[in-house]
Amino acid sequence: DLPQKGVEWDEDMWVLLIESYGSAGIVQESVQLFQKMEELGVQRTIKTYDALFKVIMRRGRYGMAKRYFNKMLKEGIEPTRHTYNLMIWGFFLSSKVESAVRFFEEMKSREISPDVVTYNTMINGYCRVKNMEEAEKYFVEMKGRNLEPSVITYTTLIKGFVSAGGVDNALRFLEEMKKFGIKPNAITYSTLLPGLCDADKMSEADKILKEMVERHIAPNDDSIFTRLLSGQCKAGHLDAAADVLKAMIRLSIPTDAGHYGILIENFCKAGAYQRAVQLLDKLIEKEIILRPQTTLQMEPSAYNPVIEHLCNNGQTRKAEMLLRQLMKMGVQDPVAFNYLIRGHSKEGTPES
């Protein structure tokens, strides 16, 4: 329609179309639009090529990207640093490490200096294939070129070491970044905490959580709190486990019955019934069990020991309040009913 309306085609419009079809996952249409430009005589610059490279690389079409790269050079269009960054990113995305390295070297041979983005891409690429030695080598080279690593650089390395099972190295990089005045962000912490739980380094996890609360930074994934609670309890650090629940409240993260349940179960196991009952009081009073958005339910291994304790110690009425809330959520536990029947009988209330 445009030529008929007297409006000329411009490159920006075609770039927008190529990117939009790419974002919608219709890669073939992007490629056809790119070819159409040539047929219609619309001038193409590096801007159009970069848009195409991003679209086809995201879909793993690295062979096609190479062909168009060579075509671009034949047309006399010079690649920029951004072009090389896109190509390197795309090759690593398809695990084509050698091609990525070749383009990195070619970039330098064309006297195009790699920037922080280039090095972050190289580091991330090697982290993806769990080759941490090479990732660290590029990190050293980056600093040697007086390029300052960013929070992304350090977080990428921390994530790489965690996934490769080197949590001590991840902690080393966390300390280094803080020493250079680079503040960890939510992604840094969210990346490190599961690794510390897997490696049973619960004291370190406790320190990290306290730091997060101090800076009021919540992790990206709330499920980490279940792991922290279970991990601290398994390690026998019941005070640290109780601190996890407090941290959730201070970071405004919704606490579910299941979170309280993990603590109640482990307090009972340790014979700390008074602490278990204090948590139970909060659970009943705030009707946390009945919250419709609850994703983590309380398990029988948590509620049965505390019900047994209450029924054996003249507090059957409180145990019944707990069970009635659980029953509203569909719980029908014969063990719990038996405790209540025995508790009421013992307390001389046969009607109950």
Side-chain angles (χ1 to χ4, degrees), residues 1-231:
D1 256 12
L2 284 169
Q4 290 168 24
K5 302 275 196 248
V7 182
E8 279 186 32
W9 290 307
D10 67 340
E11 188 186 15
D12 287 344
M13 186 198 81
W14 292 89
V15 167
L16 183 63
L17 284 165
I18 289 165
E19 286 174 344
S20 300
Y21 275 105
S23 298
I26 313 166
V27 179
Q28 216 43 50
E29 196 67 44
S30 292
V31 176
Q32 281 170 9
L33 282 160
F34 179 84
Q35 290 163 347
K36 196 92 176 157
M37 289 174 80
E38 195 168 27
E39 288 169 33
L40 297 168
V42 183
Q43 185 69 36
R44 285 187 304 215
T45 68
I46 192 64
K47 199 164 29 171
T48 306
Y49 272 100
D50 283 349
L52 181 73
F53 292 142
K54 191 173 183 180
V55 166
I56 58 182
M57 279 298 205
R58 192 188 279 136
R59 289 281 160 174
R61 310 274 178 88
Y62 58 88
M64 186 191 279
K66 274 183 189 173
R67 286 196 302 277
Y68 278 112
F69 189 85
N70 292 331
K71 179 180 168 62
M72 178 186 82
L73 295 179
K74 274 181 196 160
E75 288 176 13
I77 297 170
E78 285 293 313
T80 63
R81 183 189 286 132
H82 179 59
T83 313
Y84 277 107
N85 286 347
L86 280 172
M87 296 299 283
I88 292 165
W89 162 79
F91 286 127
F92 272 123
L93 211 57
S94 297
S95 302
K96 296 290 165 191
V97 178
E98 285 173 19
S99 297
V101 173
R102 197 166 63 246
F103 268 74
F104 178 76
E105 293 305 327
E106 186 188 307
M107 174 185 192
K108 289 195 285 187
S109 71
R110 283 181 176 270
E111 295 184 348
I112 298 170
S113 299
D115 61 359
V116 173
V117 175
T118 319
Y119 278 103
N120 282 350
T121 307
M122 293 299 290
I123 291 163
N124 185 46
Y126 276 109
C127 288
R128 281 172 72 94
V129 294
K130 292 186 170 55
N131 187 341
M132 296 314 297
E133 207 176 309
E134 283 297 310
E136 208 167 341
K137 190 186 94 178
Y138 281 98
F139 178 71
V140 171
E141 186 182 311
M142 175 188 191
K143 291 200 288 187
R145 283 175 168 260
N146 291 323
L147 289 168
E148 285 190 17
S150 64
V151 66
I152 294 169
T153 318
Y154 280 105
T155 301
T156 303
L157 282 162
I158 288 166
K159 187 177 183 179
F161 277 115
V162 165
S163 66
V167 76
D168 288 331
N169 281 318
L171 285 168
R172 172 167 63 88
F173 276 101
L174 181 76
E175 288 312 309
E176 185 182 312
M177 76 186 284
K178 288 198 275 191
K179 192 173 83 181
F180 287 118
I182 299 167
K183 289 184 176 178
N185 59 21
I187 301 167
T188 318
Y189 291 128
S190 302
T191 297
L192 188 54
L193 281 173
L196 292 171
C197 291
D198 288 341
D200 296 326
K201 290 187 175 288
M202 298 317 297
S203 300
E204 287 84 349
D206 184 43
K207 252 186 268 176
I208 298 285
L209 186 62
K210 284 189 167 89
E211 201 177 297
M212 290 170 78
V213 171
E214 213 172 281
R215 294 182 58 205
H216 207 80
I217 293 175
N220 292 0
D221 181 5
D222 293 352
S223 69
I224 184 61
F225 288 103
T226 311
R227 294 186 67 186
L228 284 168
L229 281 164
S230 302

Side-chain angles (χ1 to χ4, degrees), residues 297-328:
Q297 300 293 350
M298 200 171 177
E299 295 293 324
S301 56
Y303 60 72
N304 276 333
V306 78
I307 286 174
E308 181 186 16
H309 170 77
L310 291 168
C311 292
N312 287 343
N313 290 276
Q315 296 185 71
T316 306
R317 182 75 49 215
K318 188 182 283 187
E320 188 181 328
M321 284 163 73
L322 168 64
L323 187 64
R324 289 205 179 278
Q325 286 194 9
L326 289 164
M327 281 163 68
K328 284 177 186 173

